[in-house]
Short mmCIF file of all heavy atoms in Angstrom, two decimals:
data_model
loop_
_atom_site.label_atom_id
_atom_site.label_comp_id
_atom_site.label_asym_id
_atom_site.label_seq_id
_atom_site.Cartn_x
_atom_site.Cartn_y
_atom_site.Cartn_z
N THR A 41 3.43 4.52 -39.79
CA THR A 41 2.78 3.60 -38.87
C THR A 41 3.82 2.74 -38.14
O THR A 41 3.72 2.51 -36.94
CB THR A 41 1.79 2.69 -39.63
OG1 THR A 41 0.83 3.53 -40.27
CG2 THR A 41 1.08 1.73 -38.70
N GLN A 42 4.83 2.29 -38.89
CA GLN A 42 5.88 1.45 -38.31
C GLN A 42 6.84 2.24 -37.43
O GLN A 42 7.35 1.73 -36.44
CB GLN A 42 6.67 0.75 -39.41
CG GLN A 42 5.89 -0.29 -40.17
CD GLN A 42 6.69 -0.89 -41.32
OE1 GLN A 42 7.55 -0.23 -41.91
NE2 GLN A 42 6.40 -2.14 -41.62
N TYR A 43 7.12 3.49 -37.81
CA TYR A 43 8.13 4.30 -37.13
C TYR A 43 7.57 5.69 -36.81
O TYR A 43 8.02 6.69 -37.37
CB TYR A 43 9.39 4.42 -37.98
CG TYR A 43 9.95 3.09 -38.41
CD1 TYR A 43 9.72 2.61 -39.70
CD2 TYR A 43 10.68 2.29 -37.53
CE1 TYR A 43 10.22 1.37 -40.10
CE2 TYR A 43 11.18 1.06 -37.93
CZ TYR A 43 10.95 0.61 -39.21
OH TYR A 43 11.44 -0.60 -39.60
N PRO A 44 6.61 5.78 -35.90
CA PRO A 44 5.97 7.07 -35.63
C PRO A 44 6.90 8.14 -35.05
O PRO A 44 6.60 9.33 -35.16
CB PRO A 44 4.85 6.71 -34.64
CG PRO A 44 5.26 5.40 -34.05
CD PRO A 44 6.05 4.70 -35.10
N CYS A 45 8.01 7.74 -34.47
CA CYS A 45 8.98 8.73 -33.96
C CYS A 45 9.84 9.30 -35.08
O CYS A 45 10.51 10.32 -34.89
CB CYS A 45 9.87 8.11 -32.90
SG CYS A 45 8.97 7.70 -31.39
N GLU A 46 9.85 8.66 -36.24
CA GLU A 46 10.67 9.09 -37.37
C GLU A 46 9.88 9.84 -38.43
O GLU A 46 10.43 10.65 -39.17
CB GLU A 46 11.34 7.88 -38.03
CG GLU A 46 12.19 7.04 -37.10
CD GLU A 46 13.39 7.79 -36.58
OE1 GLU A 46 14.01 8.55 -37.34
OE2 GLU A 46 13.72 7.61 -35.39
N CYS A 47 8.58 9.54 -38.54
CA CYS A 47 7.77 10.08 -39.62
C CYS A 47 6.32 10.19 -39.16
O CYS A 47 5.82 9.29 -38.50
CB CYS A 47 7.87 9.15 -40.83
SG CYS A 47 6.89 9.62 -42.26
N MET A 48 5.68 11.30 -39.51
CA MET A 48 4.26 11.42 -39.16
C MET A 48 3.49 12.20 -40.21
O MET A 48 4.03 13.11 -40.84
CB MET A 48 4.08 12.03 -37.79
CG MET A 48 4.34 13.51 -37.71
SD MET A 48 3.77 14.15 -36.14
CE MET A 48 5.33 14.46 -35.37
N LEU A 49 2.24 11.80 -40.39
CA LEU A 49 1.33 12.51 -41.26
C LEU A 49 0.93 13.79 -40.54
O LEU A 49 0.46 13.73 -39.39
CB LEU A 49 0.10 11.65 -41.56
CG LEU A 49 -1.02 12.30 -42.36
CD1 LEU A 49 -0.56 12.61 -43.78
CD2 LEU A 49 -2.25 11.40 -42.37
N ILE A 50 1.11 14.94 -41.19
CA ILE A 50 0.76 16.20 -40.52
C ILE A 50 -0.40 16.92 -41.19
O ILE A 50 -0.98 17.83 -40.60
CB ILE A 50 1.97 17.15 -40.39
CG1 ILE A 50 2.55 17.52 -41.76
CG2 ILE A 50 3.02 16.55 -39.47
CD1 ILE A 50 3.57 18.64 -41.71
N ASP A 51 -0.75 16.51 -42.44
CA ASP A 51 -1.87 17.18 -43.10
C ASP A 51 -2.45 16.30 -44.19
O ASP A 51 -1.72 15.61 -44.89
CB ASP A 51 -1.42 18.52 -43.69
CG ASP A 51 -2.60 19.36 -44.18
OD1 ASP A 51 -3.68 19.31 -43.55
OD2 ASP A 51 -2.45 20.06 -45.20
N ASP A 52 -3.76 16.32 -44.30
CA ASP A 52 -4.50 15.68 -45.39
C ASP A 52 -5.45 16.74 -45.89
O ASP A 52 -6.38 17.14 -45.18
CB ASP A 52 -5.26 14.47 -44.86
CG ASP A 52 -6.09 13.76 -45.91
OD1 ASP A 52 -6.25 14.31 -47.03
OD2 ASP A 52 -6.59 12.67 -45.62
N ASP A 53 -5.23 17.22 -47.12
CA ASP A 53 -6.05 18.34 -47.61
C ASP A 53 -7.42 17.90 -48.13
O ASP A 53 -8.19 18.71 -48.61
CB ASP A 53 -5.30 19.15 -48.68
CG ASP A 53 -5.18 18.44 -50.02
OD1 ASP A 53 -5.61 17.28 -50.14
OD2 ASP A 53 -4.65 19.08 -50.95
N GLU A 54 -7.71 16.60 -48.02
CA GLU A 54 -8.99 16.02 -48.48
C GLU A 54 -9.19 16.12 -49.99
O GLU A 54 -10.25 15.83 -50.50
CB GLU A 54 -10.19 16.67 -47.76
CG GLU A 54 -10.16 16.55 -46.25
CD GLU A 54 -10.33 15.13 -45.74
OE1 GLU A 54 -11.00 14.32 -46.41
OE2 GLU A 54 -9.77 14.82 -44.68
N LEU A 55 -8.15 16.56 -50.71
CA LEU A 55 -8.20 16.64 -52.18
C LEU A 55 -7.19 15.68 -52.79
O LEU A 55 -6.91 15.75 -53.98
CB LEU A 55 -7.91 18.07 -52.65
CG LEU A 55 -8.92 19.12 -52.20
CD1 LEU A 55 -8.44 20.51 -52.59
CD2 LEU A 55 -10.29 18.85 -52.79
N GLY A 56 -6.61 14.80 -51.97
CA GLY A 56 -5.67 13.82 -52.47
C GLY A 56 -4.23 14.06 -52.11
O GLY A 56 -3.37 13.24 -52.39
N CYS A 57 -3.92 15.18 -51.48
CA CYS A 57 -2.54 15.49 -51.10
C CYS A 57 -2.33 15.20 -49.62
O CYS A 57 -3.11 15.63 -48.77
CB CYS A 57 -2.23 16.96 -51.39
SG CYS A 57 -0.50 17.39 -51.04
N LEU A 58 -1.27 14.45 -49.32
CA LEU A 58 -0.89 14.20 -47.94
C LEU A 58 0.46 14.86 -47.69
O LEU A 58 1.32 14.88 -48.57
CB LEU A 58 -0.78 12.70 -47.66
CG LEU A 58 -2.04 11.87 -47.79
CD1 LEU A 58 -1.73 10.40 -47.44
CD2 LEU A 58 -3.16 12.40 -46.93
N THR A 59 0.63 15.37 -46.48
CA THR A 59 1.89 16.00 -46.09
C THR A 59 2.44 15.26 -44.87
O THR A 59 1.73 15.03 -43.89
CB THR A 59 1.69 17.49 -45.75
OG1 THR A 59 1.13 18.14 -46.88
CG2 THR A 59 3.01 18.14 -45.39
N PHE A 60 3.70 14.89 -44.97
CA PHE A 60 4.39 14.15 -43.91
C PHE A 60 5.60 14.95 -43.45
O PHE A 60 6.21 15.66 -44.24
CB PHE A 60 4.89 12.79 -44.42
CG PHE A 60 3.80 11.85 -44.79
CD1 PHE A 60 3.23 11.87 -46.05
CD2 PHE A 60 3.35 10.90 -43.87
CE1 PHE A 60 2.22 10.99 -46.40
CE2 PHE A 60 2.35 10.01 -44.22
CZ PHE A 60 1.78 10.06 -45.48
N GLU A 61 5.95 14.78 -42.19
CA GLU A 61 7.23 15.23 -41.66
C GLU A 61 8.04 13.99 -41.40
O GLU A 61 7.56 13.05 -40.77
CB GLU A 61 7.06 16.01 -40.35
CG GLU A 61 6.84 17.47 -40.53
CD GLU A 61 6.88 18.23 -39.21
OE1 GLU A 61 7.02 17.62 -38.13
OE2 GLU A 61 6.76 19.46 -39.29
N ILE A 62 9.27 13.99 -41.89
CA ILE A 62 10.15 12.84 -41.70
C ILE A 62 11.51 13.35 -41.25
O ILE A 62 11.98 14.38 -41.75
CB ILE A 62 10.23 11.98 -42.98
CG1 ILE A 62 11.04 10.72 -42.75
CG2 ILE A 62 10.72 12.77 -44.16
CD1 ILE A 62 10.89 9.68 -43.84
N LYS A 63 12.12 12.68 -40.30
CA LYS A 63 13.42 13.11 -39.79
C LYS A 63 14.47 13.02 -40.90
O LYS A 63 14.47 12.08 -41.70
CB LYS A 63 13.86 12.26 -38.60
CG LYS A 63 13.13 12.59 -37.33
CD LYS A 63 13.74 11.84 -36.16
CE LYS A 63 13.00 12.19 -34.89
NZ LYS A 63 13.54 11.44 -33.75
N LYS A 64 15.35 14.02 -40.89
CA LYS A 64 16.47 14.00 -41.84
C LYS A 64 17.27 12.72 -41.62
O LYS A 64 17.39 12.24 -40.50
CB LYS A 64 17.38 15.21 -41.64
CG LYS A 64 16.85 16.46 -42.28
CD LYS A 64 17.86 17.57 -42.15
CE LYS A 64 17.35 18.83 -42.82
NZ LYS A 64 18.24 19.97 -42.56
N GLY A 65 17.80 12.19 -42.68
CA GLY A 65 18.55 10.95 -42.60
C GLY A 65 17.69 9.74 -42.90
O GLY A 65 18.20 8.64 -43.07
N ARG A 66 16.37 9.91 -42.96
CA ARG A 66 15.45 8.81 -43.24
C ARG A 66 14.96 8.82 -44.68
O ARG A 66 14.42 7.83 -45.16
CB ARG A 66 14.24 8.84 -42.30
CG ARG A 66 14.60 8.76 -40.85
CD ARG A 66 15.16 7.38 -40.55
NE ARG A 66 15.85 7.40 -39.27
CZ ARG A 66 17.05 6.87 -39.08
NH1 ARG A 66 17.69 6.30 -40.06
NH2 ARG A 66 17.61 6.91 -37.91
N LEU A 67 15.12 9.92 -45.37
CA LEU A 67 14.70 10.05 -46.76
C LEU A 67 15.94 10.19 -47.61
O LEU A 67 16.85 10.96 -47.28
CB LEU A 67 13.80 11.28 -46.94
CG LEU A 67 13.24 11.51 -48.34
CD1 LEU A 67 12.20 10.44 -48.67
CD2 LEU A 67 12.61 12.90 -48.43
N SER A 68 16.01 9.45 -48.71
CA SER A 68 17.18 9.55 -49.57
C SER A 68 16.76 9.72 -51.02
O SER A 68 15.64 9.39 -51.41
CB SER A 68 18.07 8.31 -49.43
OG SER A 68 17.42 7.18 -49.95
N PHE A 69 17.68 10.26 -51.79
CA PHE A 69 17.49 10.43 -53.23
C PHE A 69 18.52 9.56 -53.92
O PHE A 69 19.69 9.59 -53.56
CB PHE A 69 17.73 11.89 -53.64
CG PHE A 69 16.81 12.86 -53.00
CD1 PHE A 69 17.13 13.45 -51.78
CD2 PHE A 69 15.60 13.17 -53.58
CE1 PHE A 69 16.28 14.35 -51.18
CE2 PHE A 69 14.73 14.06 -52.97
CZ PHE A 69 15.07 14.65 -51.78
N LYS A 70 18.08 8.80 -54.89
CA LYS A 70 19.00 7.93 -55.61
C LYS A 70 19.19 8.49 -57.01
O LYS A 70 18.22 8.65 -57.76
CB LYS A 70 18.45 6.51 -55.69
CG LYS A 70 19.35 5.56 -56.44
CD LYS A 70 18.75 4.18 -56.51
CE LYS A 70 19.62 3.28 -57.34
NZ LYS A 70 19.02 1.97 -57.53
N LEU A 71 20.42 8.78 -57.35
CA LEU A 71 20.73 9.22 -58.70
C LEU A 71 21.38 8.06 -59.44
O LEU A 71 22.34 7.47 -58.96
CB LEU A 71 21.70 10.41 -58.67
CG LEU A 71 21.16 11.67 -58.01
CD1 LEU A 71 22.26 12.73 -57.93
CD2 LEU A 71 19.98 12.20 -58.78
N SER A 72 20.84 7.72 -60.58
CA SER A 72 21.34 6.60 -61.37
C SER A 72 21.92 7.11 -62.68
O SER A 72 21.30 7.93 -63.36
CB SER A 72 20.22 5.62 -61.70
OG SER A 72 19.63 5.15 -60.52
N ALA A 73 23.10 6.62 -63.00
CA ALA A 73 23.70 6.98 -64.28
C ALA A 73 22.89 6.35 -65.40
O ALA A 73 22.34 5.25 -65.23
CB ALA A 73 25.14 6.49 -64.34
N PRO A 74 22.78 7.01 -66.53
CA PRO A 74 22.04 6.42 -67.65
C PRO A 74 22.75 5.16 -68.17
O PRO A 74 23.96 5.06 -68.09
CB PRO A 74 22.03 7.52 -68.71
CG PRO A 74 23.01 8.53 -68.28
CD PRO A 74 23.31 8.33 -66.84
N TYR A 75 21.94 4.21 -68.64
CA TYR A 75 22.49 2.99 -69.22
C TYR A 75 23.16 3.29 -70.55
O TYR A 75 22.63 4.05 -71.35
CB TYR A 75 21.38 1.97 -69.48
CG TYR A 75 20.93 1.17 -68.28
CD1 TYR A 75 21.27 1.51 -66.99
CD2 TYR A 75 20.13 0.07 -68.46
CE1 TYR A 75 20.85 0.77 -65.91
CE2 TYR A 75 19.69 -0.69 -67.39
CZ TYR A 75 20.06 -0.33 -66.11
OH TYR A 75 19.63 -1.08 -65.05
N SER A 76 24.28 2.65 -70.79
CA SER A 76 24.90 2.72 -72.11
C SER A 76 24.06 1.86 -73.05
O SER A 76 23.28 1.01 -72.61
CB SER A 76 26.33 2.18 -72.05
OG SER A 76 26.32 0.79 -71.78
N GLU A 77 24.21 2.07 -74.33
CA GLU A 77 23.47 1.26 -75.31
C GLU A 77 23.79 -0.22 -75.13
O GLU A 77 22.91 -1.07 -75.21
CB GLU A 77 23.79 1.73 -76.73
CG GLU A 77 22.92 1.09 -77.79
CD GLU A 77 21.44 1.35 -77.59
OE1 GLU A 77 21.04 2.47 -77.20
OE2 GLU A 77 20.64 0.41 -77.80
N GLU A 78 25.05 -0.53 -74.85
CA GLU A 78 25.46 -1.92 -74.66
C GLU A 78 24.77 -2.53 -73.44
O GLU A 78 24.27 -3.65 -73.50
CB GLU A 78 26.98 -1.98 -74.48
CG GLU A 78 27.52 -3.38 -74.29
CD GLU A 78 29.03 -3.38 -74.11
OE1 GLU A 78 29.71 -2.49 -74.64
OE2 GLU A 78 29.50 -4.30 -73.42
N ARG A 79 24.73 -1.79 -72.34
CA ARG A 79 24.08 -2.30 -71.13
C ARG A 79 22.59 -2.45 -71.35
O ARG A 79 21.97 -3.40 -70.86
CB ARG A 79 24.36 -1.34 -69.97
CG ARG A 79 23.83 -1.86 -68.66
CD ARG A 79 24.24 -0.99 -67.50
NE ARG A 79 23.64 -1.48 -66.28
CZ ARG A 79 23.62 -0.82 -65.15
NH1 ARG A 79 24.19 0.37 -65.07
NH2 ARG A 79 23.04 -1.31 -64.09
N ARG A 80 21.98 -1.54 -72.10
CA ARG A 80 20.54 -1.61 -72.39
C ARG A 80 20.23 -2.87 -73.20
O ARG A 80 19.27 -3.59 -72.92
CB ARG A 80 20.13 -0.35 -73.15
CG ARG A 80 18.67 -0.05 -73.11
CD ARG A 80 18.27 1.24 -73.82
NE ARG A 80 19.31 2.14 -74.19
CZ ARG A 80 19.61 3.28 -73.56
NH1 ARG A 80 18.91 3.64 -72.52
NH2 ARG A 80 20.58 4.05 -73.97
#
Side-chain angles (χ1 to χ4, degrees):
T41 301
Q42 292 176 330
Y43 306 101
C45 292
E46 303 294 322
C47 178
M48 74 169 108
L49 175 66
I50 59 169
D51 190 35
D52 179 350
D53 73 356
E54 302 293 329
L55 298 173
C57 184
L58 297 181
T59 303
F60 294 86
E61 271 188 357
I62 185 166
K63 285 188 180 178
K64 280 185 179 173
R66 301 292 164 227
L67 182 69
S68 67
F69 299 91
K70 180 181 176 185
L71 297 175
S72 302
Y75 279 13
S76 67
E77 188 59 40
E78 180 180 331
R79 185 173 176 192
R80 200 178 347 256

